[in-house]
Amino acid sequence: MSELGVALIAAGAAIAGGVVTGWYSRSGGIRQAEAARHAGERQADALLESVRMTFRREARQRALALRRETYAEFLGAAETRILAERTGRGRADDEAGFQRALGALALEGPAEVVEAAERLAESLRRHQPPDELHRAKRRFVEEARRALDDPTAAESAPNTPNDPDSTPT
């Protein structure tokens, strides 16, 4: 074989080797890029989930704070009514304030707290003795504390026990 033939074979082999090497390098690069994209998507998903969890936690805290405030307002209005019941002295708007607080509490829920509040309201309407009023108030406080301590209570939809359209959560 002449030198020209050997040179052509060597050149052809070099070109073929370059093409094969380039092809494998390209395939490896594509795989690396795909792996990097997949890893980036996993990181983005993890970050989004972290943000969602933070928002849920903050929303739950806001809901519990609103509930706590609603329960405290009702308890304050109930105390005012109980004091008026004992002393016979009260203001004209005490009953209206009590009913507003009871209505707000009925919207806030949950059903067990609303039931306890309604029992306390009924005890006041019937002018029950102080011991009975104290028991009804204590039951309301216990239910309110339970609702505030239960981490899922803020996520459940409020409902009232006497509302046929509400469903327990």
Side-chain angles (χ1 to χ4, degrees):
M1 198 182 291
S2 71
E3 290 181 17
L4 180 60
V6 171
L8 287 175
I9 291 175
I15 290 173
V19 168
V20 170
T21 302
W23 181 260
Y24 283 118
S25 294
R26 178 186 167 276
S27 297
I30 290 172
R31 281 193 300 273
Q32 274 186 324
E34 182 65 28
R37 186 183 63 78
H38 186 64
E41 287 175 353
R42 283 194 317 246
Q43 284 179 334
D45 289 345
L47 179 62
L48 285 173
E49 185 58 29
S50 173
V51 169
R52 282 186 198 111
M53 287 172 50
T54 300
F55 282 147
R56 278 189 226 117
R57 188 171 39 252
E58 288 173 358
R60 190 169 34 251
Q61 290 302 320
R62 282 191 304 272
L64 285 174
L66 177 61
R67 241 180 215 183
R68 188 175 295 112
E69 183 179 324
T70 303
Y71 295 169
E73 286 176 16
F74 174 78
L75 194 56
E79 285 290 343
T80 301
R81 284 286 315 279
I82 290 170
L83 184 62
E85 188 75 24
R86 282 188 202 150
T87 63
R89 290 184 288 171
R91 297 183 320 204
D93 63 341
D94 288 347
E95 177 63 24
F98 179 73
Q99 290 302 317
R100 269 193 308 275
L102 183 60
L105 193 137
L107 289 174
E108 197 58 40
E112 295 80 12
V113 176
V114 175
E115 288 174 13
E118 288 175 345
R119 282 193 199 115
L120 177 55
E122 186 62 27
S123 295
L124 283 165
R125 281 188 208 103
R126 292 179 183 216
H127 305 285
Q128 296 287 333
D131 287 344
E132 183 60 35
L133 291 175
H134 179 71
R135 275 193 292 277
K137 183 180 84 170
R138 189 176 61 226
R139 177 139 195 290
F140 167 76
V141 170
E142 288 170 0
E143 290 297 336
R145 283 183 178 156
R146 189 172 298 124
L148 291 171
D149 289 340
D150 181 5
T152 61
E155 297 169 356
S156 65
N159 55 44
T160 57
N162 299 325
D163 184 0
D165 293 333
S166 68
T167 55
T169 54

